[in-house]
Amino acid sequence: MAAAAQLLRGVARGPAALALVAVSGRRTLGSAPPRGAAGPGGRRAALAAAAGALGGLGLGLWRRQAAMAASEEDEDDKEEEELRKRFMAPPVSGLRELRRRRRELRSRMELLIMETQGEVCRALAALDPGAAFAVDTWERKEGGGGISCVLQDGEIFEKAGVNVSVVFGLLSEEAARQMRSRGKSLKAKDGKLPFCAMGVSSVIHPKNPHVPTMHFNYRYFEIEEADGTKQWWFGGGTDLTPTYLNEEDAVHFHKTLKEACDKHDLKLYPKYKKWCDDYFYIKHRGERRGIGGIFFDDVDSPSKEEVFQFVKSCAKAVVPCYVPIVKKHCHDSFTPEEKLWQQLRRGRYVEFNLVYDRGTKFGLLTPGSRIESILMSLPLTARWEYMHIPPKSSKEAEILEVLRNPKDWVH
């Protein structure tokens, strides 16, 4: 190779020169008659030899580059196929676009919520093989869309929904007012606030009153203000709503969430456990919706990456904190009276979601929202009775005591 290059340099000296170029698998050859002592035949032979040597090198390099590119493309195709298998439907933003922007946090968050949806749906479907999730993709004309996965009337689950939404556009004045009431300083331009919101949310209502209802939600929000700066924050949580108290289950649930939090900061679990107890408070009833878990919102520190990793740990804890409890109790026997109590407790669940829940309020206040997906959280059946008071020292009274006075389950 060195000899060929030297030969070409010697032959091509002078005002007119021969150029051999290999670029992206394409070779171009341009020449002018060089001047020198050698005759035309010698020069042509020398040029042919040099060009052949370097041309072969360029072709070989191109072939290696092409082989590497083909290998990388095959790897990309395999990775995309693996992702498709893990998802319930194609992502709202498109898989190739997400992979193209894979370093951006918004893309990573969308991939996380898609994977979480798939993991939870597969885990629930394995527990209730006679039923199937209906997968419903939808678009929002104002921008974005979502994927709703709902299982109804199964043997184990009366209703289980796992939704993903990725929406963007202009924030409604009502939604902006709600955020400002939480201390957000949002500076609009001509009354407009561009936003992007994405998240995964789920509510699972089992048939058996000895299997608790479970809810989780993890979300990311971004708003562009009048001067172009962007406010961002994460929110979410996982909480348990049993019809009857099982302390062993409560300890398992809270311990699993605590372990996820402790990976990042030992202060997070007690802080977000208390926040959960306070947030899911039904003021007009004087009781919590359930026995809690963790809840957080408007979290924008210490950094995007650190909060994202925390949210990822929490999302990965959903299946291990809940599925073992379902397996343990899904075939427990129960009485008509216990089923009636479950229906009454579901009435409380509905009251909280429709009166206090931030996610429900935001969805109902956002133009173009999909109402069916927002109200997916409600059970198929619930009951309200006038002045229903359970007997003292009953199992029903036991759970009410915990709902009125939250307990520490892990210390």
Side-chain angles (χ1 to χ4, degrees):
M1 180 180 73
Q6 182 62 40
L7 177 60
L8 183 57
R9 285 195 295 271
V11 174
R13 287 194 191 98
L18 177 76
L20 179 68
V21 184
V23 181
S24 298
R26 184 181 66 239
R27 291 184 294 136
T28 60
L29 183 67
S31 63
R35 292 181 297 176
R43 286 195 299 272
R44 281 195 296 270
L47 288 169
L54 287 179
L57 175 64
L59 184 60
L61 178 61
W62 172 80
R63 284 174 175 162
R64 285 196 295 274
Q65 289 175 337
M68 290 173 62
S71 176
E72 289 175 1
E73 189 172 338
D74 287 344
E75 288 299 317
D76 286 348
D77 290 343
K78 289 178 182 177
E79 187 177 343
E80 285 190 13
E81 185 59 31
E82 286 301 314
L83 287 173
R84 288 191 185 95
K85 290 178 182 177
R86 298 207 296 267
F87 297 164
M88 298 299 288
V92 174
S93 299
L95 188 53
R96 287 190 180 274
E97 179 65 13
L98 288 177
R99 295 190 68 254
R100 187 180 69 81
R101 296 186 289 109
R102 71 183 75 182
R103 296 184 186 278
E104 297 179 17
L105 189 134
R106 278 170 57 168
S107 296
R108 294 165 64 200
M109 183 64 181
E110 186 170 349
L111 288 171
L112 173 62
I113 61 180
M114 290 294 299
E115 289 182 6
T116 302
Q117 182 186 50
E119 288 171 4
V120 174
C121 286
R122 285 191 296 273
L124 299 180
L127 294 172
D128 205 342
F133 275 96
V135 180
D136 189 10
T137 60
W138 51 274
E139 292 183 3
R140 176 177 175 266
K141 66 178 182 179
E142 291 83 359
I147 304 158
S148 297
C149 300
V150 180
L151 181 156
Q152 292 186 148
D153 285 322
E155 179 185 348
I156 306 300
F157 303 109
E158 181 179 285
K159 187 180 181 184
V162 191
N163 289 346
V164 158
S165 63
V166 180
V167 298
F168 50 87
L170 297 176
L171 199 64
S172 71
E173 183 55 40
E174 292 89 347
R177 191 179 302 116
Q178 180 190 351
M179 291 177 183
R180 290 188 179 106
S181 71
R182 306 202 311 263
K184 294 288 182 188
S185 176
L186 304 176
K187 301 172 185 176
K189 183 177 181 180
D190 300 325
K192 297 179 180 178
L193 281 167
F195 81 97
C196 172
M198 62 183 68
V200 56
S201 61
S202 174
V203 178
I204 301 162
H205 295 290
K207 282 190 170 180
N208 194 310
H210 297 293
V211 181
T213 287
M214 193 269 286
H215 157 262
F216 75 87
N217 173 285
Y218 292 100
R219 56 194 178 274
Y220 173 72
F221 216 100
E222 196 174 270
I223 291 181
E224 184 176 332
E225 296 191 271
D227 60 0
T229 60
K230 291 183 178 179
Q231 284 200 44
W232 60 268
W233 64 87
F234 289 87
T238 305
D239 60 279
L240 198 69
T241 305
T243 301
Y244 289 98
L245 182 63
N246 182 299
E247 294 203 2
E248 187 177 280
D249 295 343
V251 170
H252 166 79
F253 184 81
H254 278 267
K255 184 180 178 181
T256 306
L257 294 178
K258 182 179 184 300
E259 289 171 353
C261 294
D262 287 353
K263 293 176 183 177
H264 303 270
D265 191 329
L266 296 179
K267 297 177 182 177
L268 293 180
Y269 170 76
K271 178 181 179 180
Y272 294 156
K273 193 268 184 189
K274 183 180 185 307
W275 199 343
C276 187
D277 289 336
D278 293 342
Y279 176 75
F280 290 105
Y281 182 62
I282 309 173
K283 295 178 183 178
H284 59 274
R285 296 288 189 181
E287 61 191 43
R288 277 77 187 168
R289 189 177 76 175
I291 63 167
I294 58 172
F295 175 87
F296 56 92
D297 205 0
D298 302 325
V299 178
D300 57 5
S301 64
S303 70
K304 265 188 182 182
E305 182 62 28
E306 288 172 286
V307 183
F308 172 75
Q309 292 299 331
F310 167 67
V311 167
K312 185 175 180 179
S313 294
C314 293
K316 295 297 181 185
V318 168
V319 170
C321 79
Y322 182 61
V323 167
I325 297 174
V326 180
K327 288 181 178 179
K328 180 180 174 183
H329 297 292
C330 63
H331 297 298
D332 287 1
S333 60
F334 58 88
T335 66
E337 290 75 22
E338 289 171 333
K339 187 67 178 177
L340 174 64
W341 178 243
Q342 180 193 53
Q343 297 298 296
L344 292 169
R345 295 312 308 168
R346 284 183 176 173
R348 299 292 200 269
Y349 202 96
V350 171
E351 289 174 26
F352 177 86
N353 280 30
L354 294 182
V355 177
Y356 301 111
D357 187 64
R358 288 182 186 177
T360 302
K361 285 183 177 180
F362 174 78
L364 296 176
L365 293 174
T366 301
S369 293
R370 192 167 188 269
I371 302 303
E372 287 295 323
S373 297
I374 296 169
L375 299 182
M376 170 275 298
S377 64
L378 303 182
L380 280 185
T381 58
R383 185 181 178 94
W384 285 263
E385 286 188 7
Y386 181 71
M387 295 296 291
H388 184 281
I389 301 174
K392 291 182 179 181
S393 302
S394 66
K395 291 188 297 180
E396 291 79 10
E398 180 186 32
I399 187 68
L400 281 181
E401 175 60 25
V402 173
L403 299 179
R404 290 166 181 162
N405 300 287
K407 291 183 62 174
D408 181 349
W409 299 103
V410 295
H411 295 103

